[in-house]
């Protein structure tokens, strides 16, 4: 033991001697530069330390470097860096030399780049990369920016959540300690709190109402992250997830859950759920199908074919034939669109579900376990449904052109003589059409529209007809041009998977059958069956929004018009009809052409006398011709727009409201002095959509 102690003491003395020798070997210098030129000071420090300096031409001025006592040579260069920094200059380490440049240009020079612990010291300009694990690099930039010299930079790289800072080494060491203190892990880990008696969904709603109060001990909507408590219900496990950066607030929220999760003292298990968006009667039917596995019920048809029409009976007195009676039509069995589904009580699987349509609520009587499962299903069903605004443009362009020209003549002068005479002439066109020369001779007012030129020679008596005008020659010329441009723009706003319908037109009766009294046989009272149909524009749309945002549309569109509504037509009016039924898939806001009709028909008619009508030029005296051309162009355009929130509905409403008000003001009659005010008043403020 004595020998070992003696050896250890000898080694320690040797180590102290070597350290003292190295310290003594480093020569001490004294710096005394007062208002000295920078170039002179740099030159002196370069001779002391053996460094090579490259000075930028913009580096000018004087510095003060004074040491009260001798200092080691190793401190001369750091003191020069501090003096240069005070004057706005910086040193940049290069390959075997040191560059002195203005501070603003220092970040653009190749400074040393490091990651992790900072080895450099003093006022050396370096670039450091800090990789954050918990906090956001982008948010931390605003916190660290005031701590960095104005001429130096800090930037965030979100892809790797890193900070890139160029600054002096000593300041970067301080920033490194600040980042290490902040980047400690954002919030606490989520805490799972199982709920045994109550419903997790109901408890979350109660806690949110309680904790959002600014005066409460725990706040979920506070602006500061440390004041927030995130509360989420897991319906599958009937548990609640809690997360907060403040352990005390987390414990407080957990304590509230434990106090609320207690068995109820009341007898029975009746719960009332008020729905926000869904219809209580429909949700009750869905829950019945879930509990019993019975999917029976009125299935919604996806076809949009025309609905069945209403049939009414009209009776008449005996012997009335086919005349319509005055009896009131029977009331048709129609479905009220405002009547909801049945709200009767449903019992299944130990639970009783009652829908109250008045308050749109569900009354559930079930054990706690079953109620918790049903509550989770209701929570997912009671969501705001998207709407679809469908704009339709129906354009129908019709052009009809017709022309007729012909000459007719008659030689009836010999009818007044008893001698044998030759009479003759030409007449074209059916009697009563206004084209025939005989109708015109009988009554000048029977002549058809157009240019009518004739030669009259008094009157002549025709047996069986009477005295008529002796019309020897009739020349007719007529050209008609009828154009129609019908533009319809029906718009529909409906819920997802809900059918919408718009009808613009008339409702006309059509006779479908009749029974009358025949002969002398005893028969029942005569009657008619009448079917009423809509004539005009009919559009029915049922949209379905897919998961990808596209819209599937089941469409039925019909355009009909009355062609003949005469009294002589005992079968009822004659209508023209164009309909389209299709299922299409359209992107949100895209315009699609559903279908079109292009029809062009040409008809030529000519009446003439054989052989004579074919003679050039002179043949026109024995010819009568008509021409007609009809062209119809019908196109249907459609654009659906998905509306998911109230802001989109408000914007759409304001746009349509402003358009209507603008059109009313544009078409308002000009106001004149002493005339009554006939302008259309604007709707009251209560009807205007809020902006």
């Amino acid at each position: 033991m004595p020998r070992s102690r003696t050896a250890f003491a000898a080694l320690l003395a040797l180590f102290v001697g070597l350290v003292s020798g190295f310290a003594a070997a480093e020569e001490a210098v004294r710096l005394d530069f007062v208002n000295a030129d920078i170039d002179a000071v740099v030159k002196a420090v370069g001779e002391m330390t053996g460094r090579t300096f490259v000075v930028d031409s913009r580096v000018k001025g004087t510095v003060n470097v004074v040491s009260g006592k001798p200092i080691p040579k190793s401190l001369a260069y750091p003191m020069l860096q501090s003096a240069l920094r005070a004057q706005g200059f910086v040193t940049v380490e290069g390959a075997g030399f040191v560059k002195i440049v203005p501070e603003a240009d220092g970040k653009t020079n190749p400074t040393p780049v490091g990651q992790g612990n900072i080895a450099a010291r003093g006022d050396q300009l370096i670039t450091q990369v800090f990789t954050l694990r918990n906090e956001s690099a982008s948010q931390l930039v605003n916190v660290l920016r005031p701590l960095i010299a104005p001429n130096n930079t800090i930037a965030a790289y979100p892809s790797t959540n890193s900070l890139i800072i160029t600054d002096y080494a000593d300041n970067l060491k301080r920033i490194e300690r600040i980042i290490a203190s902040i980047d400690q892990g954002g919030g606490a880990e989520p805490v799972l709190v199982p709920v045994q008696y109550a419903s997790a969904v109901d408890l979350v709603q109660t806690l949110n109402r309680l904790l959002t109060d600014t005066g409460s001990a725990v706040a979920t909507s506070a602006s500061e992250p440390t004041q927030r408590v995130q509360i989420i219900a897991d319906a599958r496990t009937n548990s609640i997830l809690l997360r907060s950066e403040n352990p005390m607030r987390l414990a407080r929220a957990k304590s509230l859950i434990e106090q609320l999760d207690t068995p109820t003292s009341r007898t029975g298990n009746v719960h009332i759920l008020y729905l926000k968006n869904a219809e209580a009667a429909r949700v009750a039917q869905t829950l019945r199908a879930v509990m019993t596995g019975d999917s029976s019920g009125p299935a919604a048809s996806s076809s949009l074919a025309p609905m069945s029409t209403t049939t009414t009976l009209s009776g008449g007195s005996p012997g009335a034939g086919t005349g319509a009676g005055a009896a009131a039509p029977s009331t048709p069995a129609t479905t009220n669109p405002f009547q909801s589904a049945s709200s009767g009580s449903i019992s299944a699987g130990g639970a009783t579900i009652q829908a109250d349509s008045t308050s749109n609520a569900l009354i559930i009587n079930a054990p706690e376990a079953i109620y918790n499962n049903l509550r989770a299903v209701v929570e997912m069903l009671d969501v705001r449904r998207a709407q679809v605004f469908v704009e339709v443009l129906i354009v129908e362009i019709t052009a009809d052109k017709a022309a007729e020209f012909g000459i007719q003549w008659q030689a009836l002068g010999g009818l007044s003589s008893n001698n044998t005479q030759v009479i003759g002439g030409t007449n074209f066109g059916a009697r009563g059409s206004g084209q025939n020369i005989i109708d015109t001779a009988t009554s000048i007012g029977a002549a058809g529209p157009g240019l009518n030129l004739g030669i009259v020679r008094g009157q002549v008596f025709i047996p069986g007809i009477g005295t008529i005008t002796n019309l020897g020659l009739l020349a007719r010329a007529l050209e008609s041009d009828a154009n129609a441009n019908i533009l319809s723009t029906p718009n529909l706003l409906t819920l997802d998977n809900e059918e919408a319908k718009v009808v613009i037109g008339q409702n006309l009766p059509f006779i479908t059958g009749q029974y009358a009294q025949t002969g002398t046989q005893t028969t029942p009272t005569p009657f008619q069956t009448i079917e009423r149909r809509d004539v005009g524009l009919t559009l029915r749309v049922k949209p379905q929004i897919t998961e990808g945002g596209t819209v599937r549309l089941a469409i039925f569109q019909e355009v009909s018009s009355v062609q003949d509504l005469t009294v002589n037509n005992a079968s009822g009016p004659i209508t023209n009809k164009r309909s389209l039924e299709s299922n299409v898939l359209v992107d949100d806001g895209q315009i699609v052409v559903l279908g079109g009709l292009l029809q062009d028909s040409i008809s030529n008619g000519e009446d003439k006398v054989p052989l004579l009508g074919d003679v050039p030029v002179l043949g026109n005296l024995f010819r009568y011709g008509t021409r007609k051309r009809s062209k119809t162009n019908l196109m249907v355009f459609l654009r659906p727009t998905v509306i998911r929130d109230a802001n989109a509905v408000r914007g759409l409403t304001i746009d349509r409201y402003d358009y209507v008000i603008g059109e009313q003001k544009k078409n308002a009659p000009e106001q004149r002095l002493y005339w009554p005010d006939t302008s259309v008043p604007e709707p009251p403020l209560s009807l205007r959509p809020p902006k």
Side-chain angles (χ1 to χ4, degrees):
M1 290 294 297
R3 291 183 179 180
S4 60
R5 290 181 178 178
T6 303
F8 177 78
L11 290 175
L12 180 60
L14 179 62
F15 177 77
V16 172
L18 290 175
V19 172
S20 300
F22 287 133
E26 185 176 1
E27 183 180 355
V29 296
R30 188 184 184 96
L31 300 179
D32 190 8
F33 298 99
V34 179
N35 292 328
D37 189 73
I38 292 179
D39 292 338
V41 177
V42 170
K43 182 178 180 181
V45 173
E47 293 177 353
M48 295 179 187
T49 60
R51 296 176 183 268
T52 302
F53 292 93
V54 177
V55 183
D56 191 276
S57 60
R58 294 170 292 178
V59 178
K60 302 294 183 181
T62 60
V63 295
N64 295 321
V65 181
V66 178
S67 60
K69 58 181 180 179
I71 60 173
K73 286 185 177 181
S74 59
L75 296 180
Y77 178 59
M79 292 185 65
L80 175 64
Q81 288 179 320
S82 300
L84 291 174
R85 179 182 176 183
Q87 298 298 321
F89 306 115
V90 65
T91 59
V92 180
E93 301 286 345
F97 62 93
V98 179
K99 185 187 297 185
I100 302 177
V101 296
E103 188 181 32
D105 295 341
K107 56 181 176 294
T108 61
N109 286 269
T111 58
V113 179
Q115 186 174 8
N117 295 329
I118 301 175
R121 297 183 58 187
D123 292 324
Q124 181 181 354
L125 193 66
I126 63 174
T127 300
Q128 193 75 8
V129 179
F130 299 94
T131 302
L132 306 182
R133 295 183 179 181
N134 303 288
E135 295 296 329
S136 172
S138 301
Q139 296 180 358
L140 210 57
V141 168
N142 298 327
V143 177
L144 300 178
R145 175 71 265 183
L147 304 179
I148 298 173
N151 290 326
N152 296 331
T153 61
I154 177 174
Y157 185 62
S159 298
T160 59
N161 196 35
S162 301
L163 289 172
I164 304 173
I165 305 176
T166 300
D167 203 4
Y168 299 101
D170 286 346
N171 192 38
L172 283 179
K173 288 185 177 181
R174 180 181 66 148
I175 292 176
E176 182 183 19
R177 292 191 295 269
I178 294 174
I179 293 176
S181 301
I182 295 176
D183 191 26
Q184 293 293 332
E189 293 295 328
V191 176
L192 181 65
V193 181
V195 179
Q196 182 178 0
Y197 302 103
S199 170
V201 178
D202 291 340
L203 281 183
V204 167
Q205 294 182 356
T206 303
L207 291 173
N208 284 330
R209 289 194 298 268
L210 174 65
L211 302 181
T212 52
D213 186 7
T214 56
S216 62
V218 186
T220 57
S221 59
S223 58
E224 297 182 6
T226 57
Q227 304 298 321
R228 298 175 186 169
V229 177
Q230 297 180 353
I231 306 174
I232 302 175
D234 182 21
R236 188 182 67 86
T237 59
N238 196 37
S239 304
I240 298 178
L241 294 172
L242 299 177
R243 186 176 184 271
S244 177
E245 297 181 2
N246 193 321
M248 295 182 61
R249 298 187 181 276
L250 187 67
R252 177 57 179 164
K254 185 177 180 181
S255 175
L256 288 175
I257 295 175
E258 294 175 351
Q259 294 175 18
L260 293 174
D261 185 26
T262 57
T264 177
S265 59
R266 60 186 178 182
T267 59
N269 296 300
V270 179
H271 305 270
I272 300 178
L273 300 179
Y274 292 96
L275 304 185
K276 300 178 181 178
N277 303 284
E279 186 178 347
R282 293 191 177 183
V283 175
Q285 292 290 343
T286 303
L287 295 179
R288 180 191 66 84
V290 172
M291 298 296 294
T292 63
D294 182 12
S295 60
S296 61
S301 175
S302 61
S303 175
L304 293 184
M307 292 183 178
S308 59
T309 54
T310 305
T311 301
T312 60
L313 302 179
S314 62
S317 60
T322 59
S330 61
T331 303
T334 57
T335 302
N336 185 358
F338 299 99
Q339 183 179 359
S340 60
S342 174
S343 59
S345 178
I346 300 171
S347 298
T352 302
I353 305 171
Q354 173 75 28
D356 183 16
S357 301
T358 304
S359 59
N360 196 35
L362 291 176
I363 304 173
I364 301 178
N365 185 5
E368 292 294 337
I370 298 178
Y371 167 74
N372 292 336
N373 292 333
L374 295 177
R375 183 66 180 87
V377 175
V378 172
E379 183 70 17
M380 290 182 285
L381 292 177
D382 187 24
V383 295
R384 181 188 178 98
R385 296 170 60 184
Q387 300 181 90
V388 179
F389 179 70
V390 183
E391 298 176 275
V392 183
L393 178 64
I394 303 173
V395 183
E396 182 177 2
I397 302 174
T398 303
D400 292 333
K401 294 185 178 182
E404 59 178 274
F405 178 78
I407 297 175
Q408 306 174 58
W409 54 270
Q410 295 285 343
L412 304 177
L415 291 176
S416 301
S417 174
N418 294 328
N419 299 327
T420 302
Q421 299 288 337
V422 177
I423 64 173
T426 61
N427 65 87
F428 303 110
R431 294 291 303 274
S433 62
Q435 301 173 352
N436 195 283
I437 189 174
I438 298 177
D439 293 338
T440 306
T442 304
S443 175
I444 296 298
L451 178 62
N452 295 277
L453 296 176
I455 298 175
V456 180
R457 297 176 181 176
Q459 293 182 340
V460 64
F461 177 79
I462 300 178
I465 297 179
T467 301
I468 65 173
T469 303
N470 189 6
L471 185 59
L473 177 68
L474 176 63
R476 277 184 46 78
L478 174 65
E479 181 179 358
S480 62
D481 188 357
N483 296 323
N485 186 1
I486 302 175
L487 176 65
S488 301
T489 57
N491 297 331
L492 293 173
L493 179 63
T494 180
L495 288 173
D496 183 24
N497 277 325
E498 294 289 344
E499 180 183 330
K501 176 183 178 181
V502 59
V503 178
I504 304 173
Q506 298 174 308
N507 189 264
L508 300 180
F510 292 83
I511 299 175
T512 58
Q514 60 185 1
Y515 192 88
Q517 197 172 17
T518 58
T520 59
Q521 298 179 0
T522 303
T523 58
T525 303
F527 66 90
Q528 288 181 334
T529 57
I530 298 175
E531 187 179 58
R532 306 193 68 88
R533 299 178 184 174
D534 294 328
V535 177
L537 173 64
T538 302
L539 176 65
R540 300 173 62 193
V541 179
K542 184 177 182 181
Q544 180 183 3
I545 304 174
T546 62
E547 190 68 23
T550 57
V551 183
R552 181 182 181 272
L553 295 173
I555 303 166
F556 175 78
Q557 183 265 329
E558 177 181 296
V559 178
S560 57
S561 60
V562 179
Q563 179 180 347
D564 186 8
L565 192 57
T566 60
V567 181
N568 296 329
N569 187 5
S571 299
I574 299 175
T575 60
N576 297 322
K577 175 182 175 181
R578 299 181 181 91
S579 64
L580 170 73
E581 184 176 2
S582 177
N583 292 290
V584 296
L585 192 65
V586 189
D587 291 333
D588 183 14
Q590 179 186 359
I591 299 177
V592 64
V593 180
L594 295 182
L597 172 64
L598 300 176
Q599 182 178 354
D600 191 358
S601 62
I602 301 176
S603 61
N604 295 325
E606 188 177 59
D607 296 335
K608 64 182 179 179
V609 177
L611 299 179
L612 296 177
D614 296 329
V615 177
V617 182
L618 295 178
N620 291 326
L621 299 175
F622 305 94
R623 218 173 27 232
Y624 194 94
T626 59
R627 292 182 180 179
K628 184 176 181 181
R629 180 175 183 178
S630 299
K631 188 174 183 180
T632 302
N633 188 352
L634 174 64
M635 300 296 292
V636 180
F637 301 88
L638 183 143
R639 180 175 70 176
T641 303
V642 179
I643 300 176
R644 300 186 181 275
D645 52 19
N647 293 331
V649 176
R650 188 179 302 110
L652 180 65
T653 305
I654 293 175
D655 179 65
R656 294 300 184 269
Y657 178 87
D658 293 341
Y659 171 77
V660 172
I661 297 302
E663 290 297 318
Q664 286 185 345
K665 293 181 179 180
K666 186 188 302 181
N667 298 326
E670 181 182 357
Q671 296 297 323
R672 298 183 180 179
L673 189 61
Y674 304 116
W675 279 46
D677 186 8
T678 58
S679 60
V680 179
E682 294 188 15
L685 294 176
S686 59
L687 297 181
R688 295 182 182 179
K691 295 184 179 181

